[in-house]
Amino acid sequence: AQTVTQSQPEMSVQEAETVTLSCTYDTSESDYYLFWYKQPPSRQMILVIRQEAYKQQNATENRFSVNFQKAAKSFSLKISDSQLGDAAMYFCAYRRQKLIQGAQKLVFGQGTRLTINP
Amino acid sequence: DAGVTQSPTHLIKTRGQQVTLRCSPISGHKSVSWYQQVLGQGPQFIFQYYEKEERGRGNFPDRFSARQFPNYSSELNVNALLLGDSALYLCASSSTLYNEQFFGPGTRLTVL
């Protein structure tokens, strides 16, 4: 079974600084997707960035970028120029490209709580 | 366009009761998935429905059931509630089984 591990329960960063959140995963599949979701206190899960495993180029979305190391099964999120609005729980998630018994299932890590210090 | 909506926002029940949670997907989306998020943990997959058929089920007891209606909205039912069922229940919709899932704001269920 696929598993996702986030080893940092909490992280903090000064406003305008850069922070990196770590994620490792375990899978025997070669084709899959990886995601970072943000969950603010409002509880709504918001997609931050996604990476297709077949793409060697790391995904970027404005201030958010990833470091995808397929061989090491590592998928870290870098937030540049941190803003107060970035404060939230961040979840790393995995999905097989192929359906699991006909279903599209996201497997989430335990989350990292990010605090932004003004 | 409206996003995924869920009702109610909060719910308090006692052990042994039954509860029904509702989800309306984004217009045009045919797939709805349910996740349980216990406090301090990541969401866990419960069910996925597509075109009104169950397409997948997570490792949850038979007390959990769901259905999808012709308008693609969905209900999650939990019978014989236990204290451990207290959680945030998230609904996500996608246009197909392969496309990105968009999440609703969740229903916070407290079992006393």
Side-chain angles (χ1 to χ4, degrees), chain B residues 22-97:
Chain B
R22 296 176 175 83
C23 172
S24 292
I26 292 171
S27 177
H29 284 194
K30 299 181 179 180
S31 176
V32 169
S33 298
W34 288 94
Y35 292 82
Q36 181 196 62
Q37 185 178 14
V38 174
L39 188 64
Q41 298 182 18
Q44 297 287 321
F45 174 76
I46 309 175
F47 284 112
Q48 184 177 42
Y49 277 77
Y50 178 70
E51 289 279 20
K52 301 178 287 293
E53 291 187 1
E54 181 181 309
R55 299 303 299 268
R57 182 187 184 110
N59 188 24
F60 281 81
D62 291 343
R63 299 185 295 107
F64 288 77
S65 63
R67 56 180 175 169
Q68 186 176 33
F69 298 98
N71 66 353
Y72 302 111
S73 66
S74 178
E75 286 183 351
L76 175 69
N77 296 285
V78 187
N79 294 322
L81 285 167
L82 303 174
L83 295 178
D85 295 331
S86 295
L88 179 68
Y89 289 85
L90 295 167
C91 173
S93 77
S94 57
S95 54
T96 71
L97 284 171

